Amino acid sequence: MQIPFQPEFFGISINIHLVLEYLAFFIAFRYYVILRRKSKDHINSGNRLSIILGAALGALIGSRLIGILENPLVDFSEENIIQLLNTKTIMGGLFGGLLGVEVAKKIIGEKTSSGDLFVLPIILGIFIGRIGCFLSGINEFTYGNVTTSYFGMDLGDGLQRHPTSLYELVFLIILFIGLQQLHKRANLKNGELFKIFMLLYFGFRFCIEFIKPNVFHVLGLSTIQLLCVICWLYYSPFIYQKLKNAS
C-alpha cells in the first residue's frame, strides 16, 4: 500500500483522513453511550447533555485556536487564511473541551466530576483518527522528522521519516489497556481517571513533539508543548496531592 493512501470510489478520490475522523466521532460516542448504560452515572441526563455540549463547543474553539497558533507567522494570504481556519488539533480540542466542561458545570451548578466516562471513548476516537493521519502521510502535519533509524518510513515525499502516528497508535493501545485495568483495580476517586489520562497523554505528546518538524517555538518549545505545560500546571494540585500521599 502506498502512502499517502488515496482510495477511489467510482472514480472519486476519497479523503481517508476525513472519513476516519467522522468515523472516530461516531464510534467514540456510541462507545460512551454503552459505557454510560452499564455504569452508575451520578449526573442526571439533563446536566450530562449540557456538559457534552460544553465539551463540544470548547473542543471546537480549542482545536482551531491551537491549530492556528502552531504556525502564527504564516503569510496571511486568502489561501493561507482558509487553510488556517481548517487547521485543527486534538490537543487543543482536549484542553478546550476540558475548559468548556468546567464553564458548563459552573453555569448549571453541577459539582460532580464528569470526565471518567469519557476517557476510554476519547482514546478510542483518537486511535481511529490517528490511523487516518498515518494513511494520509505528508498530507497531514502529523509526520516526524527525517531519520536514519530503523523505524524510518517513506510517508510520501521520498524521505525516511519518523512515523509519529504509528508511535502514537502503540502508545494509545498501552494507555487504553492500562487505564482500563487501573479503573477496575485501583480505588480511584471520581474524576481521577480523567486527570491521569490527560497527564499521561499530554506527557507523551510533549515528548514526541521533539521529533516533529515544528516551525514555531517559544523558549525552545512548540505550541503543543507549551499547551502540555499549561495542562500540567492546571493539574498541579492533583499531582502535588498524589505525590504527598505517596510519600
Side-chain angles (χ1 to χ4, degrees):
M1 181 179 64
Q2 185 176 357
I3 297 178
F5 178 57
Q6 296 176 311
E8 290 191 358
F9 188 70
F10 291 112
I12 300 174
S13 182
I14 305 299
N15 186 331
I16 191 65
H17 181 264
L18 188 62
V19 170
L20 287 173
E21 190 174 272
Y22 284 126
L23 187 64
F25 283 119
F26 176 76
I27 293 178
F29 182 73
R30 294 307 305 168
Y31 185 34
Y32 158 77
V33 171
I34 292 171
L35 290 180
R36 188 166 187 257
R37 286 174 181 169
K38 291 183 176 180
S39 63
K40 185 178 180 181
D41 193 356
H42 299 284
I43 300 175
N44 64 57
S45 297
N47 282 2
R48 177 63 73 175
L49 179 59
S50 296
I51 289 170
I52 291 175
L53 291 175
L57 182 59
L60 177 64
I61 296 172
S63 64
R64 293 291 198 267
L65 179 61
I66 298 302
I68 292 173
L69 291 177
E70 280 193 278
N71 190 12
L73 301 180
V74 69
D75 178 31
F76 285 96
S77 63
E78 181 178 349
E79 181 181 351
N80 285 340
I81 289 178
I82 293 175
Q83 184 175 353
L84 277 176
L85 291 176
N86 288 325
T87 300
K88 52 189 179 295
T89 170
I90 184 60
M91 300 296 286
L94 283 173
F95 197 74
L98 169 65
L99 298 182
V101 165
E102 294 304 319
V103 171
K105 287 170 66 176
K106 287 286 185 182
I107 294 174
I108 63 179
E110 179 62 63
K111 300 186 181 299
T112 306
S113 296
S114 57
D116 288 354
L117 269 176
F118 293 111
V119 171
L120 297 181
I122 287 174
I123 297 174
L124 179 60
I126 297 174
F127 184 88
I128 296 171
R130 277 292 174 259
I131 295 174
C133 291
F134 171 68
L135 293 177
S136 298
I138 60 168
N139 291 337
E140 289 291 330
F141 188 64
T142 53
Y143 52 85
N145 290 331
V146 175
T147 180
T148 57
S149 76
Y150 177 78
F151 298 106
M153 293 182 64
D154 180 1
L155 299 175
D157 59 357
L159 302 174
Q160 296 295 304
R161 295 182 175 276
H162 282 291
T164 49
S165 293
L166 280 185
Y167 299 163
E168 186 167 339
L169 288 173
V170 173
F171 172 77
L172 288 171
I173 292 173
I174 297 172
L175 185 63
F176 185 96
I177 296 173
L179 291 183
Q180 189 178 50
Q181 293 303 311
L182 184 67
H183 183 57
K184 289 180 179 179
R185 301 181 182 183
N187 187 24
L188 296 177
K189 295 180 181 177
N190 190 26
E192 289 189 343
L193 187 70
F194 182 80
K195 294 175 183 178
I196 294 170
F197 157 69
M198 290 288 284
L199 289 169
L200 291 176
Y201 183 67
F202 276 63
F204 169 80
R205 287 299 302 271
F206 181 88
C207 296
I208 206 168
E209 285 294 303
F210 286 112
I211 58 173
K212 291 180 64 177
N214 295 292
V215 296
F216 179 75
H217 295 84
V218 175
L219 301 176
L221 300 177
S222 70
T223 300
I224 295 296
Q225 288 174 317
L226 291 173
L227 182 63
C228 292
V229 173
I230 292 173
C231 179
W232 294 339
L233 292 175
Y234 182 86
Y235 283 123
S236 58
F238 172 72
I239 298 172
Y240 172 76
Q241 188 62 46
K242 284 298 181 182
L243 291 176
K244 183 180 178 181
N245 292 341
S247 61

